[in-house]
C-alpha cells in the first residue's frame, strides 16, 4: 500500500540558508500535518492543511511557511535557518472526519 | 490545542514482563492514536482508538473517552519492544490539530 512520502530524507544546510521539505500524502487523503521533533523531544505540531487550505497552526516560526498544492502534496519552506532548526521533520496525512493518520519517514535536517 | 500527558516517562522492564502506559487528555478528543518510534526515528502506527478496546498480538489498548484517558498494554515484553511510545489526539472541537504527549521511553532488558 502507498505510504506518505517525504523528501529529501536527509538535508544539510548552513546557517541563514533556506530549505524546502516536500510531502506526498497517501492517495485520497485530504489533510496534511507537519511536525518538528528535536532530539529527545516529542513531535511538535507546526501546521496542517485541509483541502489545500491552512487548517490549523501550532508552534511554527515566522521564518517557516507551508502550503498544500492542487495535487495535495505539501511543502514546508524554511528560511534564515538557525542551528536550533536542526531536527527531524515529519509529515502525516489522513482523511478528515475521524480517520487514522499515517506518518512519513521524516526528513532529518542538520543546520551547520 | 489540547494538552496530552503520558506516564510514566521512562520504564525499564525485564524481558517477559507486562506493562501499562497511560495517556491523559485535557479535553475530549477525536482520532486518538498510539505510536511506537523505533530507533531509526520512524513512527509506527499501533492503534487508532478514539474509544473502546482493541488488541493486536501482545499489544492492546483501551480508551475511556468520557474520562479522557487511554491505556496501552504490552504483555510478555521483548527487547524489540524497546523505544518511545507516543499517544496523540485531536481536540473534539478542533480538528486537524493532532497533539502528541511527551512519550514513554521503554527499555526491555534481556
Amino acid at each position: 500500500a502507498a505510504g506518505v512520502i517525504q523528501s529529501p530524507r536527509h538535508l544539510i544546510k548552513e546557517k541563514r540558508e533556506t530549505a524546502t521539505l516536500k510531502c506526498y500524502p497517501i492517495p485520497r487523503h485530504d489533510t496534511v500535518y507537519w511536525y518538528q521533533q528535536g532530539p529527545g523531544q516529542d513531535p511538535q505540531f507546526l501546521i496542517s492543511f485541509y483541502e489545500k487550505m491552512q487548517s490549523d497552526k501550532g508552534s511554527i516560526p515566522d521564518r517557516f511557511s507551508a502550503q498544500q498544492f492542487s495535487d495535495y502534496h505539501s511543502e514546508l519552506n524554511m528560511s534564515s535557518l538557525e542551528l536550533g532548526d536542526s531536527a527531524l521533520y515529519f509529515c502525516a496525512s489522513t482523511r478528515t472526519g475521524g480517520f487514522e493518520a499515517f506518518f512519513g519517514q521524516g526528513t532529518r535536517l542538520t543546520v551547520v | 490545542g489540547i494538552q496530552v500527558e503520558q506516564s510514566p516517562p521512562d520504564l525499564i522492564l525485564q524481558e517477559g514482563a507486562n506493562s501499562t502506559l497511560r495517556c491523559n487528555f485535557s479535553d475530549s478528543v477525536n482520532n486518538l492514536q498510539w505510536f511506537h518510534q523505533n530507533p531509526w526515528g520512524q513512527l509506527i502506527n499501533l492503534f487508532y482508538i478514539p474509544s473502546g478496546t482493541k488488541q493486536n498480538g501482545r499489544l492492546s489498548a483501551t480508551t475511556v473517552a468520557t474520562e479522557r484517558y487511554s491505556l496501552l498494554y504490552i504483555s510478555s515484553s521483548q527487547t524489540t519492544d524497546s523505544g518511545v511510545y507516543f499517544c496523540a489526539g485531536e481536540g473534539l472541537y478542533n480538528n486537524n490539530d493532532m497533539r502528541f504527549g511527551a512519550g514513554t521511553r521503554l527499555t526491555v532488558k534481556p
Side-chain angles (χ1 to χ4, degrees), chain A residues 31 33 35 37 40-43 45 48 50 55-58 88 90 96 98-103 105 108, chain B residues 30-31 33 35 37 40-43 45-48 86 90 94-103 105:
Chain A
T31 300
Y33 308 81
Y35 291 84
Q37 186 178 27
Q41 310 267 315
D42 55 287
F45 171 71
S48 62
Y50 165 65
S55 181
D56 215 323
K57 204 168 179 179
L88 192 52
F90 285 107
T96 205
F99 295 92
E100 190 172 3
F102 293 88
F103 280 77
Q105 292 186 295
R108 188 170 296 280
Chain B
N30 273 333
N31 303 345
Q33 294 187 228
F35 299 91
Q37 189 163 38
W40 297 273
Q42 193 174 0
L43 285 164
N45 286 36
L46 296 178
F47 293 102
Y48 172 75
F86 290 106
E90 289 177 320
N94 193 21
N95 282 336
N96 304 329
D97 177 21
M98 187 166 61
R99 303 286 177 149
F100 278 73
R105 181 172 298 278

Side-chain angles (χ1 to χ4, degrees), chain B:
Chain B
I2 60 168
Q3 306 299 312
V4 184
E5 290 185 0
Q6 287 190 245
S7 60
D10 295 280
L11 188 57
I12 300 174
L13 300 174
Q14 285 298 131
E15 203 166 25
N18 303 328
S19 61
T20 301
L21 282 58
R22 186 178 178 103
C23 187
N24 291 331
F25 294 89
S26 62
D27 206 343
S28 300
V29 292
N30 273 333
N31 303 345
L32 196 157
Q33 294 187 228
W34 284 94
F35 299 91
H36 176 218
Q37 189 163 38
N38 65 22
W40 297 273
Q42 193 174 0
L43 285 164
I44 309 296
N45 286 36
L46 296 178
F47 293 102
Y48 172 75
I49 187 164
S51 64
T53 297
K54 290 185 178 179
Q55 179 154 8
N56 184 4
R58 297 181 294 103
L59 272 59
S60 64
T62 295
T63 296
V64 183
T66 53
E67 297 187 22
R68 303 175 185 174
Y69 74 88
S70 184
L71 302 173
L72 177 69
Y73 306 96
I74 305 174
S75 64
S76 304
S77 57
Q78 300 176 357
T79 56
T80 52
D81 294 333
S82 296
V84 183
Y85 289 80
F86 290 106
C87 64
E90 289 177 320
L92 191 62
Y93 306 106
N94 193 21
N95 282 336
N96 304 329
D97 177 21
M98 187 166 61
R99 303 286 177 149
F100 278 73
T104 292
R105 181 172 298 278
L106 174 65
T107 303
V108 181
K109 296 188 172 182

